[in-house]
Every structure is written in structure tokens, then in C-alpha cells.
């Protein structure tokens, strides 16, 4: 391991040791220092210490002070979690990778490896998944396969977003934030009770931020590069006709109108070594690694000198939009304190319009304007209960999704610099998929003693998937269908040494559904290539210790070993016909460790730290094979100081986040130029709140050192696409008032 990485770990891990040495000094009473965190990670309310799963939980206060506004920000502060933005140039997409498992694509035939849920409802698509985390109750990040209770596509883990419920508390909140880079955020939340039986809540939020660059060659462009604007609303109505029966109806929606995210295209780099060693100009021109863009006469100098600007000439691709909306019904029936029924039903729709002018210069050489949409419906029946020393969760689940992606008038290697093409040359591309899935599951726990609990669960899933692509460039089309079933299971044992201190061991399995090629231009050379991969299966062995080791030390440690079979790595390349994305299938073993802890040094000073380490061993004949977008080391450190001032408190917080080097594709071959450098990000937040008041004012800084970094890199063989982060330094003020 690098010396730098060792230094980072050593800066965070000693918190535990310091807490041990100074516990008696720091805390002189038996009062609890930390509030109990209750989570629903296993479909029922439990203390976070009692859940035999590696889990991180974020409260609204922590989210606000850490500068977390969406899932991309969340990915900076959880061990072994990395969240990128990639899909179709969208600033609204979120691509979470947990313990080396995720997905950076967005097309309808792809399947994510991390499940994202809102109030128990699964969000099936990546675009629009970057949820606004304003006025939510809690976010939970579960690491490791969660196949029994969460089903397919959770082999890396699951992210639960839990919103506030009507009637839980009356009142409301208004918040305003303004800062540099044109930042304007306004949100309002109200929770009102009309009677003992009827309550309603309403949330509305508006977010806006200017871009990082300009579209230099477009006259009067509608957007800046990386510009972001989003409006979201959520309304919930709860009716409780009896003490036992409740109905909760929710409706939510968002409308995003953004600028194409910043990106760069590497042209000159491909074939540079070959050209440098070529004996003659003719030999240099004939280098097989030059790439089609270079061979057509284009160079890096044809692009904007600042990579955050863009030289595209395609006015229809400077703007990206997304919309998502849905309704959900939750029916709860409490037969008794020991037996509860819950019905969850939802109907959701998402759509987007975007594209990428991959070459990022004026001529229409490579461009892929795109629209897409997806509809999903789900129904789930849950039964939870206890009987003496026994507790259980049982369920039935049904999910249906249908969607498509359509690229209209695409250009692929169109013309040359000397003779640019005058019209798109690659026609249209259409991809469609329909998916039905049903499952039955159960998990049963038994307390052998008050301290010792064992549990086991199983889930049986039946899938039915069909997909088709219309004739590519008017020549070739294909369709296929695939039925399958999968059994997943888990077993765990936990022992509670003392109040809120637990040792656990678990074995978890999970699966990710097989997927069809996302861009099947392979059809030109192989008419039978449009077939689905096998289901990915995963089994995870994990041991962990969590709880309050001392009155002033909160600690969670997990060590894991996860084995994946038939794991598809997406590999994109250019062919004579188009941009081809297929999957290479590998086996992978990931092993690592995670630490998360908070040390309350005094009543007014705390430090929170996380460290994640992962070693992903890929079993593949290619010696350069590596797990993509998987940093070996992740870490964060967050000291927080409370200073009594007058009749209130000043709370000063600094957050440092680190993500190690990683690769943008499943290859560490340096000749492919897909290494993504490590990054250090720093935030600060200084707030004041009167002790008897209902308002807060704060000054904040995000990415204060203005670290610019890559989100993803993709080598097609003809060019290297570098997706740049939309992060930049930002400073501003925040004000909120409760009523």
C-alpha cells in the first residue's frame, strides 16, 4: 500500500485509541452521549447496533452541515462508497459503487448493482436517481449483498432514503441558501394535522447553480456547461381511521433543466508512443493505435483550451433535461403489538432528453442525441411480527418495468477535418426492454438468550425479460427474451456484550439480473450477439463489531470477503458501424475492511471518521483486468466544535473526504489513459443557532481548495472520453427557520 495511504489511515484510526485513553476525563457522568439511531434496514425498526449489516446512517442535521444535497455528495462520506455522474452527460444522474460494484451506464437494458429506495420503493433507473435530500428523515447506506430482503440488483448494497411522514410532528421549515457560482436553493416543508385521523405534509424545493464553462461556438446558447436547475415537490396524505389501520398516499415529482456536464476528449494521446518511435512520417501516420479521430485530421487543439469550455457545434446537445414523477400507497394494519401487515404499491415514470457530442469540437464527427423513458409499477406485501423469542419478516413482491432509449440522427466518424460531413451519417438507434419480476421472501430471527440472536432468510425470485432493438442504421435488428429464477439467502449471528455494543457474523447472498448489450452494434459482425448475460451471483462473508465501546466512543468495524460469479464489466469500443457496448464476464473476489466512528472528546468537541479499504481480485486472462471505479482506499475526517456564544451556540465543522486512484474502465493498462487520480475535498460549515430560538444562520464552503477531478474515463479505441466532475469551489450563506 502506498505510503500516502498509510498516512491517511493513521490520521483517522487513532481516534479510537485516543478515546480509550481519555474517556474518564472526557465524560464524567453516566448520561448517554449519543442519541440512539433507529433504522429500517431490515424492513422493521431496529437500533442501528442490532442490525448485522455494515450500515451508515445520516440525519437531516448531518446532511445539512456536511453540505450533502444529493447522492453524489453522499458518496464522499461513506467507507467504500464512490458515487459518480456519467450517464449521457447528465448532471442529474447518480451512479453509486459500493465495495467495487455499480454501473456507470444508463440505457434500459443495463442493470445496476446498487439498489436505491425511497420509502421502500425501488428506483429502477439511474437518470433522475440523484434525489434531492432536502427535508428527509434519514438516509441509510447498506454495504454488501442484500438479496434476501431487497432482491435483485443489490449485490453491492442498497441506499434507503426515508422521508418525513405526515403527523409525526406539526409545524414546518423554510430554508434559503445563496452563494458563489450563482447558487440559489430555496425549500419549504410543512407538516399539518387536520384532525386526529388526517394529516398532510408538503415539500417544495428549488435548486440552481451556474455552470463551469461556456459553449464557445454556439450563438446564444440556452445553457452553460454544467449548469444545474431542478424543481421538486412531494405531498403526502395520511389517514388513520382506527388505531390499527392507516393509509398513506404520496406523490412526488422533479423537473431538471441542466447544461451538458463538463467533459474532455483525448485525441493526440492515442498512438503517441508509436508515432514518437516511427522512423518516417509515413510510418507514424500508419500507427494502428492513432484512433479514427486523429486519423481524420482532428487534434486536441480543435477543442476548447479550457476543458470546462466546449467547442461543440451541435446546438441540440447543450441542454439535458429529466423528469420523474410517481405515486405510492402504503397501507399499514397492526393486528397487535406482535403482528403487523404493510402493503406498498407504486407507479413511477421517468424521462430524459440529452446526448453527447463526443468529439467536443465544431464539426459533427461524433454525436449521439438521445431521449429515453421508463415506466415501473411495484406491489409488495410485508408481514412483520414477534412471538416470544422469535421475530420474523415475510413478504411477497411484484415489479414491472418497460422503457426505451432512442438516438436520432447520430453521427459516427463522419467525414474528415479536410472534408467535414454536412449531415449525420449513422441514422437512428432504438432500444426497448420489458421486465417482470416476482418474489417471495422471509427472514426469521431467534433469541437463544437475551444477548445472543441467530437469524436466517431466503428469497425466491422469478424473472421474465424481453428486449429488442430496431434495425440499426436501417439494416439490422434483433429481439430476444429470457426467463430465469434465482434463490438468495442469508444467515447471521449476533451477540450483545452490553447495552448498545454488538459483535456479529453474517453470510449474505445476492444476485444481479443478466443484461442485454446496451449498444449492440456487434450485430454487424455477429447477428447472434443480442443475448443476455447470466445472472451475477454473490456471496459475502462478514464479521463486524458496532456500538459504543465507551460512553464517549461510537465505533463500527467490518471485515468482509465477497465472491462474485459471472460479473459483467461493460466495455465500449468503436466499430466500422457504430459505438458498441458489450459485457466481458469475469469472476471477482473483493476483500476489505471498514471503520466508522465518532469520538466525543468533550461535551463540545467531536470527531467523526471513516476509513474503507478494498482489494478487488479479478479472475480474467487479461493481466490488466481491474474492477472499474473502485478506489482502494476511501476516508473522511470531520471534526466539529460547539462554542457557546451569548444565548446560543456556534457550531464549526470541517469535512475532509478522500478517494484513492481508480480506473474508469476494467483495465489498468497505462496505454489506455483511463487512470483517475486520487482526490482530496474539503468543506466547512459555521452555523449559529440561539438556544431558545427557531432559526439558524450559517456560512459554508464546499470544495474550498477548488479540486478539479475526473468522474469517469472511457477509451473506445478511437478516442478517450473524460467525464469531468461538476464540483468546484463554492462559498455562501444559509438561513433556515422553523415554525
Amino acid at each position: 500500500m502506498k505510503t500516502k495511504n498509510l498516512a491517511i489511515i493513521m490520521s483517522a484510526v487513532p481516534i479510537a485509541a485516543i478515546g480509550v485513553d481519555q474517556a474518564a476525563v472526557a465524560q464524567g457522568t453516566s448520561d448517554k452521549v449519543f442519541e440512539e439511531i433507529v433504522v429500517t434496514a431490515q424492513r422493521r425498526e431496529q437500533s442501528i447496533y442490532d442490525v448485522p449489516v455494515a450500515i451508515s446512517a445520516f440525519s437531516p442535521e448531518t446532511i445539512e452541515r456536511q453540505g450533502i444535497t444529493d447522492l453524489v455528495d453522499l458518496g464522499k462520506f461513506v467507507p467504500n462508497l464512490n458515487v459518480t455522474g456519467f450517464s449521457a452527460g447528465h448532471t442529474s444522474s447518480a451512479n453509486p459503487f459500493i465495495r467495487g460494484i455499480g454501473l456507470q451506464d444508463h440505457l434500459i437494458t443495463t442493470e445496476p448493482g446498487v439498489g436505491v429506495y425511497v420509502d421502500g420503493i425501488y428506483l429502477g433507473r439511474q437518470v433522475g436517481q440523484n434525489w434531492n435530500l432536502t427535508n428527509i428523515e434519514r438516509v441509510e447506506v447498506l454495504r454488501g449483498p442484500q438479496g434476501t430482503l431487497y432482491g435483485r440488483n443489490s449485490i453491492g448494497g442498497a441506499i434507503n432514503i426515508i422521508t418525513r411522514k405526515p403527523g409525526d410532528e406539526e409545524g414546518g421549515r423554510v430554508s434559503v441558501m445563496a452563494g458563489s457560482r450563482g447558487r440559489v436553493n430555496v425549500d419549504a416543508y410543512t407538516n399539518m394535522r387536520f384532525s386526529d385521523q388526517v394529516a398532510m405534509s408538503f415539500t417544495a424545493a428549488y435548486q440552481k447553480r451556474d455552470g463551469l464553462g461556456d459553449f464557445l461556438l454556439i450563438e446564444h446558447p440556452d445553457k452553460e456547461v454544467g449548469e444545474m436547475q431542478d424543481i421538486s415537490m412531494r405531498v403526502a396524505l395520511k389517514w388513520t381511521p382506527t388505531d390499527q389501520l392507516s393509509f398513506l398516499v404520496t406523490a412526488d415529482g422533479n423537473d431538471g433543466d441542466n447544461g451538458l456536464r463538463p467533459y474532455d476528449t483525448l485525441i493526440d494521446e492515442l498512438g503517441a508512443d508509436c508515432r514518437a518511435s516511427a522512423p518516417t512520417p509515413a510510418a507514424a501516420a500508419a500507427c494502428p493505435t492513432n484512433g479514427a479521430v486523429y486519423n481524420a485530421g482532428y487534434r486536441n487543439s480543435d477543442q476548447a483550451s479550457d476543458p470546462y469550455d466546449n467547442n461543440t457545434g451541435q446546438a441540440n446537445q447543450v441542454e439535458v433535461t429529466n423528469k420523474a414523477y410517481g405515486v405510492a400507497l402504503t397501507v399499514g394494519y397492526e393486528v397487535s403489538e406482535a403482528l403487523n401487515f404493510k402493503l406498498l404499491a407504486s407507479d413511477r415514470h421517468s424521462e430524459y432528453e440529452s446526448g453527447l457530442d463526443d468529439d467536443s469540437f465544431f464539426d459533427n464527427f461524433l454525436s449521439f442525441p438521445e431521449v429515453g423513458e421508463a415506466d415501473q409499477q411495484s406491489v409488495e406485501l410485508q408481514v412483520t411480527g414477534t412471538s416470544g423469542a422469535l421475530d420474523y419478516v415475510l413478504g411477497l413482491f411484484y415489479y414491472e418495468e418497460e422503457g426505451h432509449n432512442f438516438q436520432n440522427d447520430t453521427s459516427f466518424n463522419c467525414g474528415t477535418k479536410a472534408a467535414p460531413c454536412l449531415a449525420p451519417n449513422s441514422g437512428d438507434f432504438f432500444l426497448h426492454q420489458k421486465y417482470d419480476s416476482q418474489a417471495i421472501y422471509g427472514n426469521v430471527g431467534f433469541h437463544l438468550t437475551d444477548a445472543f440472536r441467530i437469524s436466517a432468510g431466503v428469497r425466491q425470485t422469478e424473472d421474465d425479460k424481453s428486449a429488442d432493438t430496431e434495425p440499426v442504421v436501417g439494416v439490422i435488428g434483433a429481439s430476444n427474451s429470457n426467463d430465469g429464477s434465482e434463490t438468495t439467502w442469508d444467515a447471521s449471528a449476533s451477540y450483545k456484550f452490553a447495552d448498545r455494543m454488538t459483535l456479529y457474523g453474517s453470510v449474505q447472498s445476492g444476485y444481479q439480473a443478466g443484461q442485454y448489450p446496451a449498444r449492440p452494434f456487434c450485430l454487424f459482425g455477429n447477428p447472434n450477439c443480442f443475448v443476455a448475460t447470466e445472472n451475477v451471483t454473490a456471496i459475502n462473508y462478514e464479521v463486524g463489531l458496532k456500538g459504543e465501546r465507551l460512553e464517549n466512543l461510537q465505533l463500527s468495524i467490518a471485515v468482509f470477503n465477497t465472491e462474485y460469479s459471472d460479473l459483467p464489466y461493460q466495455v465500449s469500443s468503436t466499430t466500422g458501424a457504430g459505438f458498441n457496448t458489450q459485457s466481458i464476464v469475469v469472476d471477482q473476489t473483493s476483500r476489505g475492511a471498514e471503520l466508522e466512528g465518532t469520538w466525543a472528546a468533550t461535551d463540545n468537541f467531536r470527531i467523526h471518521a471513516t476509513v474503507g479499504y478494498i482489494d478487488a481480485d479479478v479472475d480474467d486472462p487479461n493481466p490488466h483486468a481491474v474492477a472499474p471505479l473502485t478506489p482502494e482506499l476511501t476516508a473522511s475526517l470531520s471534526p466539529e466544535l460547539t462554542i457557546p456564544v451569548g444565548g446560543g451556540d456556534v457550531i464549526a465543522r470541517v469535512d475532509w473526504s478522500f478517494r484513492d486512484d481508480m480506473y474508469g474502465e476494467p483495465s489498468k493498462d497505462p496505454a489506455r489513459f483511463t487512470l483517475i487520480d486520487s482526490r482530496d475535498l474539503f468543506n466547512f460549515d459555521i452555523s449559529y443557532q440561539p438556544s431558545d430560538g427557531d432559526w439558524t444562520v450559517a456560512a459554508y464552503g464546499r470544495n474550498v481548495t477548488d479540486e478539479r477531478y475526473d468522474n469517469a474515463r472511457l477509451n473506445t479505441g478511437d478516442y478517450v472520453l473524460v467525464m469531468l466532475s461538476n464540483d468546484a469551489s463554492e462559498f455562501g450563506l444559509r438561513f433556515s427557520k422553523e415554525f
Side-chain angles (χ1 to χ4, degrees), residues 7 18 73 96 153 232 358 364 466 500 531 567 625 673 679 705:
I18 295 173
D73 289 331
N153 297 351
S232 59
D358 276 18
N364 193 9
S466 61
R500 299 164 86 175
V531 295
L567 182 65
F673 304 100
R679 56 180 179 264
T705 61

Side-chain angles (χ1 to χ4, degrees), residues 642-651 688-696:
T642 302
I643 306 171
V645 175
D649 291 323
V650 172
I651 302 174
Y688 175 78
Q689 183 175 22
S691 56
D692 58 351
D694 54 8
W695 56 270
T696 301

Side-chain angles (χ1 to χ4, degrees), residues 77 351 524 717:
F77 302 109
E351 61 185 66
F524 280 89

